[in-house]
Amino acid sequence: PAVGGVTATDNLDAHPDIAFVENRTGGVCCYVVSRTWTATDDFGNSSSATQTITVTDTQAPVIAGIVTDVTATCNLGIVPMPQLSAVDNCTDVLTQHFTTDTTLLLCGYHILRTWTFTDECGNSAIAQQNIHVEDDEGPSFNPASQLSLSFAASQNATANGGVSLAIGDKISPNQTWSIGNQAMPIFAGIATDNCTPANQLGYRVSNIVEVNNGCEHSFVVSFQVLDACGNAANSLFTATASFTDDTAP
């Protein structure tokens, strides 16, 4: 604080002389100011008053800049680094420390960026940015795209041999498969995903239903549509093939 005005009175000297001395001890972060006023009259008599001021810096720096958390479902690449700075109430010398911690998730990752600004007195201010990338969304397809095919014995179509896939088998969109002696259409372009390219989706057989009443032999094959992270579409994709005996004895 500013030095205040000090006066003195004396029984014989109307205007005693006042001497002022200020001493400072300590460092930057904590120091003591000692102020002493000494009043002396014309006869050499004196008396003193002392003010002691203790100053301690306990206030952290103030960080300037904008840090925004980022959340996404697909790989973002490198997220631009925010530009941060800091000012302090007492010291001009600040130490900046930056760390990046990455945690791998089931199908994604979490990055924690931490900036720490520290003044000469050890007071610190921290800013953090969270970057969370995780794909938890399954593929999608138009229900109208589900397959339903009919084959006739007169076209040399036969159900003999059944489905070339078994429950649990997984095929790619461009992989061929068959029911009986008939090649089934490939699944290219049927489903899309928010992260996985369409040609990298998987179709896993979840169920096979076979019905044979003598005149018609049918198969319904149900598929789970999966992205690269194992997320499944909300509904099953089905391929139905019916073989009809239209040939007379």
Side-chain angles (χ1 to χ4, degrees):
V3 178
V6 175
T7 61
T9 60
D10 186 73
N11 60 331
L12 294 177
D13 187 349
H15 302 286
D17 295 327
I18 299 176
F20 172 72
V21 176
E22 180 177 281
N23 292 308
R24 171 174 166 165
T25 57
V28 175
C29 303
C30 181
Y31 59 90
V32 176
V33 176
S34 178
R35 294 171 173 174
T36 301
W37 291 264
T38 301
T40 305
D41 64 16
D42 290 339
F43 303 97
N45 302 308
S46 63
S47 62
S48 299
T50 300
Q51 179 187 39
T52 301
I53 304 169
T54 301
V55 178
T56 303
D57 180 10
T58 59
Q59 186 171 331
V62 177
I63 297 176
I66 299 176
V67 178
T68 304
D69 288 342
V70 178
T71 301
T73 56
C74 301
N75 195 344
L76 293 171
I78 299 176
V79 177
M81 190 75 67
Q83 299 300 310
L84 301 180
S85 60
V87 295
D88 190 66
N89 62 324
C90 291
T91 63
D92 295 327
V93 180
L94 296 174
T95 301
Q96 179 179 351
H97 182 64
F98 174 75
T99 61
T100 299
D101 296 310
T102 301
T103 302
L104 295 179
L105 306 175
L106 181 63
C107 198
Y109 54 88
H110 183 91
I111 296 175
L112 176 62
R113 292 172 171 174
T114 302
W115 293 261
T116 303
F117 293 87
T118 306
D119 64 18
E120 292 181 277
C121 302
N123 303 307
S124 296
I126 296 175
Q128 292 183 320
Q129 181 185 43
N130 291 280
I131 303 171
H132 188 89
V133 179
E134 186 172 18
D135 180 11
D136 57 2
E137 184 177 330
S140 61
F141 60 87
N142 186 342
S145 64
Q146 304 198 79
L147 299 176
S148 182
L149 304 173
S150 297
F151 305 99
S154 59
Q155 300 171 331
N156 296 319
T158 175
N160 294 339
V163 181
S164 63
L165 303 173
I167 292 176
D169 286 350
K170 182 179 176 182
I171 62 174
S172 67
N174 293 309
Q175 188 171 337
T176 59
W177 65 291
S178 62
I179 299 179
N181 66 349
Q182 298 298 306
M184 301 298 289
I186 60 175
F187 296 151
I190 286 179
T192 58
D193 187 67
N194 61 322
C195 295
T196 303
N199 62 354
Q200 296 178 22
L201 297 176
Y203 293 77
R204 183 170 60 200
V205 180
S206 64
N207 194 31
I208 298 175
V209 176
E210 179 180 2
V211 177
N212 186 359
N213 61 14
C215 297
E216 185 177 81
H217 195 169
S218 65
F219 297 85
V220 179
V221 185
S222 300
F223 294 86
Q224 272 189 317
V225 186
L226 305 169
D227 64 15
C229 293
N231 301 308
N234 291 330
S235 58
L236 297 175
F237 179 81
T238 60
T240 303
S242 298
F243 295 81
T244 304
D245 181 3
D246 63 347
T247 304

